[in-house]
Amino acid sequence: MKKNYKRQHGRFAVCLPLLLLAGPGVTAVQARSSTKMVAEWQITGRVVSKTNEGLPGVTVVLKGSTVGTSTGPDGNFTLSVPEKAGTLVFSYIGFQTKEQSFAGPGPVTVTLGEDVKNLDEVVVVGYGTQKRGDVTGAIASFNAEKLTERPVTRVDQALVGQLAGVQVKQTTGVPGRGFSVQVRGSGSITANNEPLYVIDGFPLEAASQNSSGRFGTGSPLDNINPNDIENIEVLKDAAAAAIYGSRAANGVVLITTKRGKSGKPKINLNTYAGFVQAVRKLDMLNSEEWVDRSIEIINANWVNSGAGRRADQTTAERQAILRVNTINPTLMIDDRWLQPGHPGLDYVDWQDEAFRTGFTQDVQLSASGASDFVNYYVSGDYQKQDGVVIGLDYKRYSARANVEVKASDKFKFGLNISPSYSVSQDPGVEGKDNLMQNIISTSPVVESAAGLNTNTGNFTNYAWGFTRNSPIRVLENAIGDTRTLRTLGTIYAEFQPIKNLAFRSTANLDNTDAESKSYSPAFVNGSLGNRQATGSFSSFRKQTFVNENTLTYTRTLGGKHDLTGLAGYSYNFTRLNAQALSASNGFVNSAVTTLNAATTISGTANNYTTETQNVLISYFGRLQYAYGGKYLVSASIRRDGSSRFGENTKFGVFPAASLGWRISQENFMQNLTPISDLKLRASVGYSGNNGIGDYSSIATLGIYNYTYGGTQFNGQAPNRVNNPDLKWERSRTYDVGFDFGLLKNRITGSFDYYTKTSKDLLLNIPILAGAGFATQLTNIGEVLNRGQELELTSRNFVGAFQWTTSVNVSHNTNKVVRLGASNAPIQVLSAFDIPNNILQVGQPLYSIYVVKQDGIISQADLDNGAALYGAQTVGDPKYVDYNGDGKIDANDRQIVGHPNADYSWGVTNSFKYKGFDLSVLVQGQNGGSIYSLFGRAVDRTGTGQPDNVLGLYRDRWRSPKTPAPESAARRTPPSAASKTPTGCTRRTTTASATSRWATTSGCSSRRASRRVPAST
C-alpha cells in the first residue's frame, strides 16, 4: 500500500507562546517533536450527475475537519487525508449533498442527484427561523448569492424585478441614493409607505422619501454592502409581519448577512469594473430647429405688436418703424441666423456637453470560516461610481465583522459590526430649476466669444437666449459634497438554562453622521456686474438604539407534534439632531469655500438646529404548531406603545393567525407522482403604521415676527393644535395562497390572493379658522388594496449545463374607500402649483387631476362657440370643458390617470456551464401614469422663445395652411389623454416608453408656440 508523508506543523504553532517563555531547552524539545511524519492516503475520484456528466466546482470536504478541495472542469478531484477510515461530504448548488465513506486510498466515484426543493430548508422569520415547509404566511425569498454576479451598488437595487408584490422604483439618477420600495401597494395617505428593514434581527428606523424623491435623513439601506448579504426574506402579509406590530403595515424586509461555514477557511476576492452611460438623450430641438421656432415666435410677436406690421420686414425696417437704434430680441431676429455659417455664433448641444461615460468599480476582500467553537466572517469593500453627468461621483468604503463564539453547549455570544463611509458629489443636478432642467432648456445658440462660458465671468448671456448661467461651467465648478459615516453594531448573547428553552438578548446601535456642503463660486452665478458666491452647510446625527429580549421554547412531542413558543420585550429609541446654515450675499474670496468666509449668513428661516426623539416599547408573542408536517397553525400578537401618538391612544395591539395544510403529505396524494409538493395557506392579521413626525400629536411652537413700539422682533407662538386621540394607522390583511412543486420539484412556485384594508389613515384636514390653525392631523381615511401574485421557478436543465428560469408577476388595485364623514374629495396641495392630485372615494390614491387637452382649436371650433381659455384663437390647444360652463379654468380638472402600475413583472434566466455563468434579468410594469415635474418644466404650453423645447415641436401647428404633418396626426388617437405642464393633458410617445406629465397652472399658451395635440 502506497503511503504519503508530510510534516505536521500544528503542534509548533499551538505551543509557540509557551516556547517563548520556557527558553532554549524546551524549544529544542518542541522542535524535535514537530518533525514527526504523519501517514496519509491520497484519495482520487470523480463526481458526476445521473447522466454521467462530470460536475465542476463540487466541494469535497473530509467530515469533521477543514481538509477539502473542489472538483475540476471534468469532475475529477484529488484529496490527501489522514490514514484512517472516514467520510467525505460532497456538496454542489442545485444538487443534493451526499456523504461517501472510505476505508482506504482507492478511487471514488460519486453520483449526485438533483436537489429537489428542500422543505427542511430554514427561512428567516421575525425573531427566529422556521422550516420552509412549515411556513403559513406570505414570504418571498431572494437568494443573495447571485448578488456577486451583478454590478449592483445598493441592496434595494438588487430587489428590482426579483419578487412578486415587491415594487422597486428608482426615483433618482444620482449615484448612491436610495430607491423607493413598496410591498403590495400604497396604504397610507400622509404616513410612511416604505417597508421596515431588519438586518440580522436589528429593526432599523423606517424612513420615507420626500417630495423630491430623496431620503432627507438617510435611507435605512444607505452604505450597506450588497456583497455582504446572504439572503433576503420579505414578509408580505400581516400574519408574517404582525410580529413587528406598529411598523409592519408596509411589509417587512429581513436581511441576513453572511456567516462562516464549516470546512476549510475561505478567502475571497470579488471585483468588477465597467462603465455607465445615458441610454439616450431627451429629444430636443437642435440649434437649427430652435432658430426656426424663434423666428416664428419673434415674427408673430412683431405682427401682433401693431397694425400694418409684417413678418417679412427686416430688422432695419423694424428699427425704423420703432425709431430706435437698439435691438429688441422679442421683436427682432438675429440676422446672423440667416447668414451662411451663422458668423459669430456657436451652435451647442448641451446634452452632449453634460453627459459622459462614467467608470464604475467594486473590490471586496473577505475571509470566513467556522469551527465547533467560533464562526466568523470579515470583509472590506471599496466601491466607486461615476454619474452619467459630469460632476456626479460616489465612493463608499465599508467593512463588516460577524463573529460568534460558542462558549459551551448552553451559552454563545456574538458581535456584528459594520462601519462605512461614503462621499457623494452632486453639484445640484436634479430637482426643480436645477442643472438638468437648465441643460435641457438652455438655448442651443451662444455667442462664439463666450461659447460654453455664456453668462459666466465677464461674459453676458446671448441676447436671444436663456438668461441662466452656463450649466456646464456650473457642473464643473460648483461643490455639492455629502459625507456620511455610519456604523451598525449588534452584540448578542444566547443562553439555554434548560433543554429546549433559549433566552436571547441583543443590544443594537445604528449611528449615522452626515454633513453636506455646497458652494457655487461667484463667476457662475448671477449676471455680469452682479455676481456673488453662494454656499450652505447642513448636517445631522441620527442614532437608533434597540434592546430586544426573547424567550423561545421548542419541543417535539411523540414525533409528530412540533411546538414553538416565543415571548419577547423590545425597547426602541431614536434621536435626530440636525443643523443648517446658508449664505447668499457673497464670500470674501473664492479661495475659501467654507461659510466662515461668507459675507453674511442668512436669517433664521434658512439657519436652524433641531433635536427630536421618539420611543417605542413593545411586548410580543407567537405560537407555532405543526402536526406530522401536514397541519400547520401559527398565531402572534404584539402590543406597541409609541411616544408619537396621542395621550389617550399611545398603545396599539396587533394580532395575527394563519393556517396551512400540506396536502402533498396526505396518503391519497402519494400516487400522484407529478405533484411533488402542495400546500394551502390562509391568514388574517393586523399591523400598524407609525411613520409620522415625532411630535405630531402635541402642540408645538413656531417662530414668528411681531412688532412692538414700531420695532420688529422674533417671537414664538403655537403652530400646531394638539390631538390627544391621534392613533395608529391600522391595516387588516386577508391572504389565501398555495405553494407547489411539480416533477420532483423541477418546477416550483406559489400563488397568493390578498386584500389589505388600511383604516384610520392620518390626514391634515381643514378646521375652523376660529381655532387659530388651518389644519389638524386626524385619523380619517380608509384605503383598500387587492391583488394577486405568482412566482414560478423552472429548472430547465441540470447537470454540467444548468439553465434556470424564474418568473414573478403581481397585480394590485388600489382605491380610496372612505374620507371622513362626508367623503368629500381632497385636493392634494402641491409645492409648485395648484393641486394636481386628488383623493376621491372610489379612485386610486393620488389620482392625477388636471385639465385635459383634446386637439387644436380650429376656425370651426370658434364658430361653434368652443370653450376657451382666455383669448385663445386658431392653432391654440383645445381643452375639454369638463364642467360644461363654457369656459376653461381650473374647475375643468378631471382624473386622467393614477400612479400605480397595473402589473409588475420580472423574468430571470440563469445559465451555468463549467465555471462560467450568465444571468439575464428583464423586468417591467404595465399601466399607471407618471406625473413628471421635469416634464412640466420643459414642456409647459407657455414655454418662451429663449427656452429650448422638446422635439415634438417640429410637428407644431403653424397656420391653417400649414397644420401638423399627417404623420404626427396619425399618432393622435381622438380618445387619448396627455398631460402638459399647464394643467392641460397630453400624452407623447418616445421610442417604446410613454412619458406623461401634468401641471395645473392654468392653460396659457402662445399662438407662435402652437402645436399638435401629440399623444399615443
Side-chain angles (χ1 to χ4, degrees):
M1 180 180 292
K2 181 180 178 181
K3 295 184 178 180
N4 295 316
Y5 296 89
K6 69 176 183 180
R7 295 180 183 270
Q8 188 177 48
H9 300 283
R11 293 184 180 179
F12 181 80
V14 171
C15 298
L16 181 60
L18 296 177
L19 301 182
L20 297 176
L21 296 174
V26 177
T27 303
V29 174
Q30 295 296 340
R32 286 193 296 272
S33 176
S34 69
T35 62
K36 179 180 178 180
M37 308 301 286
V38 178
E40 288 190 337
W41 286 335
Q42 185 107 349
I43 297 181
T44 61
R46 187 168 185 252
V47 182
V48 297
S49 67
K50 288 186 177 181
T51 59
N52 206 37
E53 293 179 281
L55 297 178
V58 177
T59 300
V60 185
V61 177
L62 177 63
K63 189 173 183 179
S65 76
T66 60
V67 177
T69 187
S70 59
T71 60
D74 54 0
N76 293 326
F77 72 93
T78 300
L79 183 65
S80 296
V81 299
E83 190 184 82
K84 62 179 180 179
T87 302
L88 297 179
V89 180
F90 299 83
S91 59
Y92 189 47
I93 296 174
F95 290 80
Q96 295 175 334
T97 298
K98 187 172 183 177
E99 296 186 359
Q100 178 76 42
S101 60
F102 64 90
V108 175
T109 299
V110 177
T111 301
L112 296 185
E114 299 169 15
D115 183 17
V116 297
K117 187 177 182 181
N118 189 357
L119 297 178
D120 290 329
E121 173 190 354
V122 173
V123 298
V124 178
V125 295
Y127 299 101
T129 59
Q130 193 174 16
K131 290 190 295 184
R132 183 175 294 279
D134 293 345
V135 171
T136 55
I139 300 178
S141 299
F142 175 67
N143 187 347
E145 70 177 11
K146 303 174 184 177
L147 289 182
T148 58
E149 305 169 0
R150 297 170 54 193
V152 296
T153 59
R154 294 182 55 90
V155 177
D156 38 17
Q157 181 186 5
L159 296 178
V160 173
Q162 298 292 328
L163 304 172
V166 180
Q167 186 178 19
V168 184
K169 304 175 185 177
Q170 183 174 2
T171 57
T172 175
V174 176
R177 285 191 183 160
F179 288 52
S180 174
V181 178
Q182 287 187 350
V183 179
R184 292 185 168 180
S186 301
S188 179
I189 297 174
T190 57
N192 182 26
N193 275 302
E194 301 282 325
L196 172 70
Y197 294 97
V198 181
I199 298 182
D200 292 331
F202 179 6
L204 304 177
E205 180 71 7
S208 59
Q209 289 187 320
N210 55 31
S211 59
S212 62
R214 303 179 185 178
F215 292 88
T217 55
S219 162
L221 299 182
D222 281 348
N223 285 20
I224 294 176
N225 178 18
N227 295 327
D228 287 335
I229 305 303
E230 182 72 27
N231 54 61
I232 299 174
E233 317 283 347
V234 180
L235 313 183
K236 297 189 290 187
D237 69 340
I243 194 68
Y244 288 101
S246 64
R247 296 170 290 178
N250 303 312
V252 180
V253 179
L254 304 179
I255 299 173
T256 303
T257 58
K258 291 178 179 177
R259 298 291 188 272
K261 293 181 173 59
S262 298
K264 189 176 181 180
K266 295 181 179 180
I267 297 179
N268 291 326
L269 175 64
N270 182 34
T271 183
Y272 68 79
F275 63 89
V276 291
Q277 289 180 325
V279 176
R280 64 185 179 195
K281 297 190 301 182
L282 189 61
D283 181 28
M284 307 295 291
L285 296 185
N286 62 32
S287 300
E288 296 287 357
E289 292 165 339
W290 177 86
V291 166
D292 177 65
R293 174 177 174 270
S294 294
I295 291 174
E296 183 181 342
I297 293 175
I298 293 171
N299 284 341
N301 291 340
W302 172 252
V303 170
N304 293 328
S305 66
R309 296 177 180 179
R310 306 186 315 275
D312 60 355
Q313 289 174 321
T314 66
T315 298
E317 291 173 331
R318 298 179 189 188
Q319 287 177 318
I321 293 172
L322 296 176
R323 297 179 182 179
V324 296
N325 294 319
T326 56
I327 297 292
N328 183 341
T330 63
L331 300 177
M332 305 170 192
I333 67 170
D334 187 341
D335 290 334
R336 293 173 293 179
W337 294 342
L338 305 179
Q339 298 173 12
H342 42 78
L345 298 177
D346 283 352
Y347 284 10
V348 180
D349 187 322
W350 292 103
Q351 292 186 77
D352 283 346
E353 300 295 336
F355 287 124
R356 68 177 178 183
T357 297
F359 177 71
T360 180
Q361 70 173 130
D362 185 274
V363 180
Q364 182 187 41
L365 182 66
S366 65
S368 63
S371 66
D372 293 337
F373 304 104
V374 178
N375 182 305
Y376 66 91
Y377 172 84
V378 181
S379 75
D381 185 271
Y382 167 74
Q383 182 183 91
K384 181 182 187 301
Q385 183 179 356
D386 298 333
V388 296
V389 174
I390 57 177
L392 288 179
D393 295 287
Y394 176 75
K395 294 179 182 179
R396 186 192 67 217
Y397 309 84
S398 62
R400 173 169 287 276
N402 294 342
V403 180
E404 182 175 278
V405 177
K406 186 177 180 181
S408 69
D409 290 338
K410 291 188 175 183
F411 179 68
K412 63 181 179 181
F413 60 91
L415 166 69
N416 303 331
I417 187 167
S418 178
S420 61
Y421 178 70
S422 66
V423 180
S424 176
Q425 300 287 345
D426 175 16
V429 172
E430 294 183 340
K432 185 179 184 298
D433 297 328
N434 258 351
L435 290 173
M436 182 51 67
Q437 179 182 336
N438 293 350
I439 291 167
I440 296 301
S441 301
T442 295
S443 322
V445 177
V446 297
E447 296 285 353
S448 296
L452 298 182
N453 296 309
T454 184
N455 200 16
T456 63
N458 294 322
F459 297 100
T460 62
N461 62 287
Y462 178 49
W464 284 266
F466 210 59
T467 58
R468 291 180 182 167
N469 310 98
S470 166
I472 303 304
R473 295 298 179 249
V474 177
L475 284 171
E476 293 171 340
N477 294 279
I479 297 174
D481 185 277
T482 299
R483 299 173 184 264
T484 303
L485 175 64
R486 184 182 188 189
T487 302
L488 279 169
T490 297
I491 57 174
Y492 62 91
E494 186 173 307
F495 177 64
Q496 293 184 336
I498 61 174
K499 185 179 179 181
N500 301 324
L501 180 66
F503 171 74
R504 182 181 178 91
S505 181
T506 67
N508 311 271
L509 178 66
D510 179 6
N511 184 91
T512 300
D513 288 287
E515 60 180 38
S516 297
K517 169 190 172 182
S518 70
Y519 174 77
S520 183
F523 82 93
V524 296
N525 284 326
S527 57
L528 185 61
N530 186 29
R531 302 196 189 278
Q532 291 182 332
T534 62
S536 66
F537 177 85
S538 63
S539 66
F540 70 85
R541 168 173 289 179
K542 188 176 183 180
Q543 295 175 316
T544 297
F545 172 78
V546 178
N547 170 237
E548 294 188 319
N549 303 276
T550 59
L551 273 174
T552 304
Y553 182 77
T554 304
R555 184 78 181 272
T556 300
L557 302 173
K560 289 188 175 182
H561 303 273
D562 293 320
L563 182 68
T564 300
L566 169 76
Y569 165 81
S570 175
Y571 172 82
N572 194 112
F573 173 82
T574 298
R575 177 194 296 273
L576 175 65
N577 297 342
Q579 308 84 32
L581 294 170
S582 63
S584 58
N585 294 321
F587 279 58
V588 175
N589 59 58
S590 60
V592 180
T593 60
T594 52
L595 291 183
N596 60 300
T599 303
T600 58
I601 302 297
S602 303
T604 55
N606 297 312
N607 301 330
Y608 62 84
T609 62
T610 62
E611 297 179 6
T612 65
Q613 65 183 43
N614 70 81
V615 175
L616 180 71
I617 297 176
S618 308
Y619 309 88
F620 52 90
R622 180 175 61 211
L623 185 64
Q624 297 166 324
Y625 171 75
Y627 175 74
K630 293 187 291 187
Y631 310 113
L632 315 168
V633 179
S634 179
S636 67
I637 190 169
R638 180 167 180 135
R639 187 170 188 256
D640 282 342
S642 173
S643 63
R644 289 176 167 174
F645 291 93
E647 191 66 31
N648 302 330
T649 53
K650 287 191 179 298
F651 280 86
V653 178
F654 307 95
S658 58
L659 301 172
W661 178 24
R662 285 187 60 198
I663 303 176
S664 56
Q665 299 297 99
E666 299 287 358
N667 292 332
F668 62 80
M669 292 290 293
Q670 301 311 305
N671 293 328
L672 298 176
T673 54
I675 300 178
S676 313
D677 179 41
L678 181 61
K679 177 176 65 178
L680 300 183
R681 297 178 279 103
S683 67
V684 60
Y686 293 85
S687 54
N689 190 340
N690 71 343
I692 62 172
D694 289 340
Y695 307 121
S696 296
S697 66
I698 62 176
T700 56
L701 296 175
I703 299 175
Y704 299 93
N705 296 327
Y706 69 96
T707 301
Y708 180 76
T711 304
Q712 183 171 286
F713 297 92
N714 290 330
Q716 288 185 308
N719 61 1
R720 180 190 295 134
V721 64
N722 70 312
N723 184 353
D725 297 319
L726 192 71
K727 59 184 178 181
W728 317 85
E729 293 188 347
R730 188 176 175 89
S731 295
R732 181 192 64 212
T733 302
Y734 293 105
D735 187 288
V736 293
F738 61 89
D739 304 322
F740 62 90
L742 305 174
L743 305 177
K744 296 184 179 181
N745 285 332
R746 288 287 292 272
I747 301 174
T748 59
S750 65
F751 176 83
D752 282 89
Y753 172 82
Y754 64 88
T755 61
K756 182 172 75 171
T757 304
S758 302
K759 297 185 176 182
D760 298 325
L761 300 188
L762 295 163
L763 184 66
N764 279 300
I765 62 170
I767 59 177
L768 295 176
F773 305 93
T775 61
Q776 181 183 34
L777 187 62
T778 306
N779 299 97
I780 191 174
E782 181 176 332
V783 171
L784 173 66
N785 282 277
R786 179 183 288 118
Q788 303 89 40
E789 299 166 351
L790 174 66
E791 291 191 345
L792 191 66
T793 299
S794 172
R795 297 170 57 210
N796 308 313
F797 288 95
V798 296
F801 174 70
Q802 301 178 38
W803 174 22
T804 302
T805 301
S806 298
V807 179
N808 67 81
V809 182
S810 59
H811 169 63
N812 183 82
T813 59
N814 168 289
K815 71 174 181 179
V816 177
V817 177
R818 188 170 65 87
L819 288 173
S822 65
N823 283 329
I826 299 174
Q827 297 182 24
V828 182
L829 297 177
S830 169
F832 305 107
D833 222 317
I834 65 174
N836 42 54
N837 294 100
I838 193 170
L839 305 174
Q840 183 172 314
V841 171
Q843 297 292 334
L845 275 175
Y846 294 102
S847 294
I848 299 175
Y849 184 60
V850 293
V851 179
K852 183 177 178 181
Q853 182 179 342
D854 186 25
I856 292 291
I857 295 175
S858 65
Q859 186 60 48
D861 292 323
L862 295 180
D863 296 340
N864 294 327
L868 304 177
Y869 177 77
Q872 285 185 301
T873 187
V874 175
D876 284 330
K878 181 169 66 174
Y879 303 112
V880 176
D881 183 14
Y882 190 64
N883 65 356
D885 63 357
K887 62 181 179 180
I888 301 297
D889 55 23
N891 296 319
D892 291 306
R893 285 170 294 171
Q894 59 177 294
I895 294 175
V896 298
H898 61 83
N900 310 304
D902 296 327
Y903 292 91
S904 298
W905 51 270
V907 180
T908 302
N909 281 285
S910 300
F911 308 89
K912 291 186 178 181
Y913 180 71
K914 292 188 177 181
F916 295 92
D917 59 80
L918 172 67
S919 182
V920 180
L921 166 65
V922 180
Q923 63 88 25
Q925 67 179 42
N926 299 86
S929 301
I930 296 175
Y931 179 85
S932 172
L933 289 175
F934 182 80
R936 168 192 183 275
V938 301
D939 189 32
R940 61 194 185 279
T941 49
T943 303
Q945 172 269 322
D947 302 271
N948 201 6
V949 294
L950 294 175
L952 60 89
Y953 276 75
R954 300 184 190 98
D955 297 331
R956 63 189 178 274
W957 186 98
R958 296 172 184 260
S959 72
K961 294 182 180 180
T962 54
E966 190 170 337
S967 60
R970 278 199 300 268
R971 65 170 192 261
T972 310
S975 60
S978 75
K979 306 150 191 74
T980 64
T982 56
C984 317
T985 64
R986 194 194 63 238
R987 182 183 301 168
T988 62
T989 296
T990 306
S992 61
T994 299
S995 173
R996 307 178 176 185
W997 46 80
T999 66
T1000 52
S1001 58
C1003 304
S1004 62
S1005 65
R1006 301 185 181 184
R1007 290 187 61 194
S1009 303
R1010 305 167 193 143
R1011 57 189 128 103
V1012 297
S1015 53
T1016 57

